[in-house]
Amino acid sequence: MKRKQFSEEQIIGILKEAEAGAVVTEICRRHGLSSATFYASKAKYGGLEVSEAKRLRALKDENAKLKRLLADAMLDNAGLKELLFKKMVTPAGRREAVAHLRRMLGMSERRACRVIGADRTRVRYRPRRGDDGALRERLRALALERRRFGYRRLHILLCREGLVVNRKKVQWLYREEGLSVRRRRGRRRAVGTRAPLMLPALPNQRWSLDFVHDQLGDGRRFRVLNIVDDETRECLRAVVDTSLSGRRVVRELTELIAERGKPQMIVSDNGTELTSNAVLAFAGAFGVEWHYIAPGRPMQNGFVESFNGLRRDELLDEPLFFSQRHAREVVADWIEDYNTERPHSSLGYETPAAYAAGLHKQRKGHAPSLASTSTIRNSAQRSLLPTG
């Protein structure tokens, strides 16, 4: 006889007939049941009403649903634990994470994308880029040669060599090759507001002076006198010696004026070499206005301070100087490269020498005039007033 499946309501109705006094064999014959099936159904549904059976079935369905949800949550949790130490920031990282979940836990692609919050279109996307091997190799070579250059300056150098490439692509390759420059120290932020230091209108109008210190391999210390043109950012002179007195500063300035002409203003801090009688006599003899910044305010001499930090980052912190002669040679080579080869971000990524040459072309027919110096400290007393 063909086996027939009964619902809970039908089984409870059959059991009700037996409770009413009908013979079990007759009930089984009429409904096509075996006696074993009848008594098994009686053990399971005996004493239940139809409404109770419906409620029991609903509870069973809900229980099965809760079990599935719990299993899904446990599987998702296991997947997240598998990816605990994996980076999933970039699209490539997300693709790798999805592949890992599918391989280790047997997840489907849809489920793995839902676990890590990824878009399936991005996971399925396969890039179709050209071969950038030559560009990558040249970028690595330039980054090795210019260890403190970022991707912007490296992009300028690549363009100079005739490699036409988008800056964003250089940035992307720069990050992918792991060439990011680490800052050696934290950058101090200024508290409050301050007005910017105004630029002179033409080259050779305002110079900035400052000293930096370093030491040789045997522990002996030396100093470097830096003279910078505030408009073109050129380093006019870098004097390396173990001792730089006020007379030595005057001698270097006199030679520089004989080569380039005198500036209208020289800005410096209040160091003992720069406030000596020799410097005061020099300023009076040449008619140069010497401006001293406020004590403890190096930002008022920001152009040469920025240059000092740049050279310390790219030069002084890199090699080991074996002698004073070696230090002079290395500093001279770096100054030549800085003025003629290194792109300067404040000059539209031109070199200081190229920027100065462009300004000299525009200088013909223009009277030299200094831009507003209202943001420079205006002392009530004359800056060159000797004391004592």
Side-chain angles (χ1 to χ4, degrees), residues 242-309:
T242 54
S243 176
L244 294 170
S245 62
R247 292 182 180 180
R248 179 67 180 278
V249 172
V250 168
R251 190 175 71 195
E252 297 293 339
L253 287 174
T254 303
E255 294 178 1
L256 189 57
I257 287 176
E259 296 175 5
R260 300 177 58 95
K262 70 174 184 178
Q264 292 184 3
M265 179 183 291
I266 296 178
V267 182
S268 73
D269 57 17
N270 298 272
T272 55
E273 302 88 351
L274 304 177
T275 56
S276 63
N277 290 329
V279 170
L280 297 176
F282 160 82
F286 281 86
V288 176
E289 181 183 356
W290 198 291
H291 177 81
Y292 293 104
I293 65 175
R297 306 289 291 177
M299 68 285 295
Q300 295 182 1
N301 200 13
F303 296 105
V304 71
E305 291 288 348
S306 174
F307 173 79
N308 290 343

Side-chain angles (χ1 to χ4, degrees), residues 33 36 41 47 86 102 163 193 210 243 248 264 273 275 283 300 322 367:
L33 290 175
S41 300
K86 289 184 176 293
R102 297 186 65 183
L163 295 175
T193 59
D210 198 13
S243 176
R248 179 67 180 278
Q264 292 184 3
E273 302 88 351
T275 56
Q300 295 182 1
F322 300 102

Side-chain angles (χ1 to χ4, degrees), residues 169-186:
K169 185 173 183 178
V170 174
Q171 180 184 7
W172 169 67
L173 293 176
Y174 182 81
R175 289 180 178 176
E176 204 170 66
E177 293 294 326
L179 303 176
S180 299
V181 178
R182 289 186 176 182
R183 291 190 177 273
R184 288 196 173 95
R185 56 190 177 275

Side-chain angles (χ1 to χ4, degrees), residues 16 47 61 92 155 167 191 247-248 274 287 305 309 321 337 365:
K16 292 294 182 181
D61 294 341
H155 174 247
R167 180 185 60 82
V191 179
R247 292 182 180 180
R248 179 67 180 278
L274 304 177
E305 291 288 348
F321 302 108
D337 179 79

Side-chain angles (χ1 to χ4, degrees), residues 8 29 50 65 73 85 128 143 153 236 357 374:
E8 287 86 350
R29 185 188 62 78
V50 175
K65 183 178 180 181
F85 299 103
R128 293 174 291 181
R153 287 192 174 88
L236 307 180
S374 58

Side-chain angles (χ1 to χ4, degrees), residues 34-271:
S34 64
S35 59
T37 302
F38 175 83
Y39 287 110
S41 300
K42 183 178 180 181
K44 185 176 182 180
Y45 297 102
L48 292 179
E49 299 292 336
V50 175
S51 58
E52 294 175 349
K54 290 182 178 179
R55 185 166 63 251
L56 179 62
R57 185 174 57 184
L59 289 175
K60 289 175 59 178
D61 294 341
E62 185 176 357
N63 189 28
K65 183 178 180 181
L66 290 176
K67 286 183 177 180
R68 287 194 302 270
L69 291 176
L70 180 61
D72 293 344
M74 293 178 65
L75 184 60
D76 294 346
N77 191 23
L80 292 176
K81 287 182 178 179
E82 286 283 337
L83 303 175
L84 188 60
F85 299 103
K86 289 184 176 293
K87 292 184 177 180
M88 298 180 294
V89 179
T90 61
R94 292 179 180 272
R95 293 190 198 102
E96 183 180 353
V98 170
H100 180 77
L101 290 179
R102 297 186 65 183
R103 181 175 62 254
M104 299 301 296
L105 300 179
M107 286 188 180
S108 65
E109 181 185 87
R110 186 187 302 273
R111 186 188 193 113
C113 291
R114 186 173 67 249
V115 168
I116 66 173
D119 190 355
R120 293 181 67 196
T121 57
R122 285 192 176 185
V123 172
R124 290 185 173 184
Y125 175 76
R126 293 294 177 267
R128 293 174 291 181
R129 298 191 302 266
D131 184 18
D132 298 322
L135 180 59
R136 288 175 183 268
E137 183 178 355
R138 185 55 188 156
L139 183 63
R140 286 194 299 269
L142 286 175
L144 183 63
E145 180 183 350
R146 307 277 188 167
R147 290 185 292 273
R148 303 304 296 174
F149 275 22
Y151 70 90
R152 291 184 178 88
R153 287 192 174 88
L154 293 178
H155 174 247
I156 298 296
L157 297 181
L158 289 173
C159 292
R160 285 183 186 175
E161 296 179 359
L163 295 175
V164 181
V165 59
N166 188 281
R167 180 185 60 82
K168 292 183 179 179
K169 185 173 183 178
V170 174
Q171 180 184 7
W172 169 67
L173 293 176
Y174 182 81
R175 289 180 178 176
E176 204 170 66
E177 293 294 326
L179 303 176
S180 299
V181 178
R182 289 186 176 182
R183 291 190 177 273
R184 288 196 173 95
R185 56 190 177 275
R187 183 179 176 184
R188 294 183 296 177
R189 302 290 181 179
V191 179
T193 59
R194 67 178 184 217
L197 188 64
M198 300 301 292
L199 286 173
L202 294 173
N204 209 40
Q205 288 189 318
R206 190 175 72 210
W207 296 350
S208 296
L209 275 68
D210 198 13
F211 293 95
V212 292
H213 303 259
D214 207 340
Q215 65 180 9
L216 302 176
D218 56 6
R220 290 184 299 164
R221 300 188 65 83
F222 66 89
R223 307 176 74 193
V224 184
L225 170 65
N226 298 319
I227 306 175
V228 176
D229 190 307
D230 288 355
E231 170 62 19
T232 64
R233 310 299 202 279
E234 290 178 285
C235 180
L236 307 180
R237 185 156 295 191
V239 184
V240 181
D241 211 332
T242 54
S243 176
L244 294 170
S245 62
R247 292 182 180 180
R248 179 67 180 278
V249 172
V250 168
R251 190 175 71 195
E252 297 293 339
L253 287 174
T254 303
E255 294 178 1
L256 189 57
I257 287 176
E259 296 175 5
R260 300 177 58 95
K262 70 174 184 178
Q264 292 184 3
M265 179 183 291
I266 296 178
V267 182
S268 73
D269 57 17
N270 298 272

